[in-house]
Amino acid sequence: MRRETAGYVVGMEPSDLPQQRRLVTPVPGPRSQQLMERRRAAIPAAVGTTLPVFAARASGGIVEDVDGNRFIDLAAGIAVTSVGSSAPRVVDAVTAQVAAFTHTCFQVTPYESYVEVCEALNRLTPGDHSKRSFLVNSGAEAVENAVKIARSATGRQAVVAFDHGFHGRTLMGMSLTGKVMPYKQGFGPFAPEVYRAPYSYPYRGTGDLTATLAFLDKTVGAANVAAVVVEPIAGEGGFIVPAPGWLAGLAEWCRTNGVVLVADEVQTGFARTGAWFACEHEGVVPDIVATAKALGGGLPIGGITARADLVDKVHPGGLGGTFGGNPLACASALAVIETIETDGLLERSRHIGELLLDRLTALATSYDAIGDVRGRGAMVAIELVDGNGAPNASLTARVAAACHAEGVLVLTAGSYGNVLRFLPPLVISDELLDEAMTVLEKVLATEMSSDH
Ligand SMILES: Cc1ncc(COP(=O)(O)O)c(C=O)c1O
């Protein structure tokens, strides 16, 4: 069914969407500007906007706005639409499910698709030990539940997170997060018994394994620690890939000390890094894996996959929630997993990574402002610096804004706000990626010639 809203058509087949960058108005265009006015009146500014255009359709590697502009999508809704927005299998599965039933609450009347998603999580997450999974609504909720399980299973209280870490916007998510602005400012007091350890940041030469383990032993004390919560690649922190062996060393320390290792794979999971999970690159098998984002293919869902012996210690009724593993989200998740498996999206992710790293590494030889190029699979970033190697957040903001004005949707990240990150849908074409890199190159040339 098609519906006219403010002059544009909602409900057109997204697969009709031409895979071409196209600017038909300045960015934002007049319709987006009108909607931004309404947004400003109705919605707090605290809910931010990266690109002030309103979406009408999205598919493949393109997001089309209400003015008809088409943007090359290097954001995938922050690592969510990895199989593409409105991916065909997702559309079919969710359409069938919405007609069958929309909700019963899994704890009231279970349904098979929830069990199937959990079986898939148990199968796909690292390690062949006995596991159990359950489902929630978001990444933050997945992390919260991982901490609950670890505390319950160990009888200990302390939770260790890391510099540059991001784990969500709930009380525990904020408490674990390492960056005050914008995530924590004014929102305290935070949850107690949360400690922040150094994270391995090779480009900045901080957080080697010795420093990290010394902090755990001397400042927190192994016997007090229920869980270490770690992103295998720091996402919001700036796509920081820890030094080889750092994650494995941390895992070994956890094993030796009876500490639950929680891998927050919310951003890195489900093919983003060229493997199902980023821990696989380091041969690390976590005790608990928290997932969300790409698992749902655009529908809200989070997963907690835990060692059976740990989660079985939690009392009946201690875990769950009204909407967790909603049938529409489960139908979508199963379609996402099938799409990754059937369409070879792990390989595709690795290919995208090679393409982006090649182009960006070449660019870095021309521009000293690119201090570092890093990433794994289709999770790639550049860190922009000034002449002294200090983070250059203002250049980063200008480059991002100029890319947006040219029809390329990029995101910024990083504890110092100086990272441009690229995380396209895995179904984007090579041609669009190439074009996006060419736009970035032009933008950098312009910015650098006007940078004083
Ligand atoms: C690593 C990580 N953990 C947790 C979260 C929180 O997920 P959500 O926004 O779904 O609550 C995010 C979101 O960006 C994330 O990147």
Side-chain angles (χ1 to χ4, degrees), residues 107-120:
Q107 292 132 94
V108 176
T109 313
Y111 35 90
E112 186 174 354
S113 57
Y114 185 118
V115 179
E116 270 186 272
V117 173
C118 293
E119 286 169 347

Side-chain angles (χ1 to χ4, degrees), residues 78 138-141 143 166-168 231 236 264 266-267 292-293:
I78 322 187
S138 67
E141 216 186 324
V143 173
F166 180 83
H167 300 283
E231 292 168 87
E236 304 300 298
D264 180 344
V266 166
Q267 189 156 166
K293 288 192 183 275

Side-chain angles (χ1 to χ4, degrees), residues 78-80 137-143 165-170 173 177 183 230-236 264-268 290-293 301-302 379 421:
I78 322 187
V80 168
N137 302 291
S138 67
E141 216 186 324
V143 173
F166 180 83
H167 300 283
R169 292 173 182 269
T170 56
T177 289
Y183 308 119
V230 66
E231 292 168 87
I233 296 174
E236 304 300 298
D264 180 344
E265 293 256 15
V266 166
Q267 189 156 166
T268 49
T291 51
K293 288 192 183 275
I301 189 169
M379 183 171 186
R421 57 174 159 167

Side-chain angles (χ1 to χ4, degrees), residues 27 51 395-408 410 412 420 443:
V27 176
L51 172 59
L395 174 64
T396 309
R398 290 201 308 276
V399 169
C403 286
H404 297 164
E406 291 292 327
V408 177
V410 294
T412 59
L420 274 182
V443 162

Side-chain angles (χ1 to χ4, degrees), residues 109-142:
T109 313
Y111 35 90
E112 186 174 354
S113 57
Y114 185 118
V115 179
E116 270 186 272
V117 173
C118 293
E119 286 169 347
L121 286 170
N122 295 343
R123 170 170 63 86
L124 294 169
T125 49
D128 52 12
H129 53 281
S130 175
K131 301 171 200 162
R132 295 194 216 292
S133 293
F134 66 102
L135 305 174
V136 291
N137 302 291
S138 67
E141 216 186 324

Side-chain angles (χ1 to χ4, degrees), residues 29-376:
R31 287 189 181 133
S32 280
Q33 287 185 34
Q34 281 167 10
L35 288 166
M36 279 304 287
E37 279 304 309
R38 282 174 53 196
R39 185 201 143 111
R40 267 189 280 276
I43 296 164
V47 179
T49 311
T50 298
L51 172 59
V53 304
F54 276 69
R57 298 192 286 168
S59 163
I62 292 286
V63 175
E64 186 180 81
D65 75 10
V66 290
D67 292 288
N69 298 306
R70 296 192 187 125
F71 297 83
I72 301 179
D73 182 8
L74 300 185
I78 322 187
V80 168
T81 50
S82 292
V83 298
S85 193
S86 301
R89 287 188 191 86
V90 167
V91 171
D92 289 349
V94 174
T95 305
Q97 181 59 50
V98 78
F101 64 96
T102 50
H103 176 83
T104 61
C105 184
F106 186 74
Q107 292 132 94
V108 176
T109 313
Y111 35 90
E112 186 174 354
S113 57
Y114 185 118
V115 179
E116 270 186 272
V117 173
C118 293
E119 286 169 347
L121 286 170
N122 295 343
R123 170 170 63 86
L124 294 169
T125 49
D128 52 12
H129 53 281
S130 175
K131 301 171 200 162
R132 295 194 216 292
S133 293
F134 66 102
L135 305 174
V136 291
N137 302 291
S138 67
E141 216 186 324
V143 173
E144 293 263 356
N145 276 281
V147 171
K148 282 165 68 172
I149 295 165
R151 282 181 166 159
S152 172
T154 60
R156 302 173 182 174
Q157 293 189 352
V159 180
V160 175
F162 291 89
D163 293 333
H164 314 295
F166 180 83
H167 300 283
R169 292 173 182 269
T170 56
L171 180 59
M172 180 52 78
M174 277 195 298
S175 305
L176 295 170
T177 289
K179 188 176 176 186
V180 69
M181 272 307 273
Y183 308 119
K184 303 169 76 160
Q185 185 61 43
F187 298 148
F190 302 107
E193 283 305 307
V194 171
Y195 298 85
R196 190 165 322 288
Y199 190 81
S200 170
Y201 196 158
Y203 174 62
R204 299 225 160 257
T206 52
D208 67 13
L209 185 61
T210 315
T212 304
L213 298 187
F215 178 90
L216 297 179
D217 283 321
K218 307 288 177 218
T219 307
V220 197
N224 304 314
V225 183
V228 163
V229 181
V230 66
E231 292 168 87
I233 296 174
E236 304 300 298
F239 286 15
I240 306 165
V241 184
W246 183 83
L247 198 61
L250 189 64
E252 181 57 35
W253 182 89
C254 288
R255 203 168 15 255
T256 307
N257 292 290
V259 171
V260 176
L261 179 66
V262 177
D264 180 344
E265 293 256 15
V266 166
Q267 189 156 166
T268 49
F270 293 97
R272 175 51 51 192
T273 69
W276 279 101
F277 296 96
C279 281
E280 293 170 41
H281 299 291
E282 290 290 319
V284 164
V285 177
D287 301 304
I288 303 182
V289 181
T291 51
K293 288 192 183 275
L295 169 62
L299 275 84
I301 189 169
I304 301 94
T305 303
R307 260 175 42 204
D309 61 309
L310 291 177
V311 68
D312 285 352
K313 291 192 175 132
V314 181
H315 52 278
L319 303 169
T322 305
F323 289 119
N326 168 273
L328 302 181
C330 285
S332 185
L334 292 172
V336 164
I337 292 166
E338 186 190 342
T339 301
I340 294 172
E341 282 176 333
T342 310
D343 294 354
L345 293 187
L346 295 174
E347 295 76 30
R348 183 78 201 135
S349 176
R350 291 193 285 271
H351 171 81
I352 290 171
E354 280 163 23
L355 190 154
L356 290 178
L357 286 176
D358 277 358
R359 289 292 303 267
L360 294 166
T361 308
L363 215 52
T365 59
S366 308
Y367 295 101
D368 292 343
I370 301 181
D372 195 23
V373 179
R374 58 182 179 244
R376 269 193 165 131

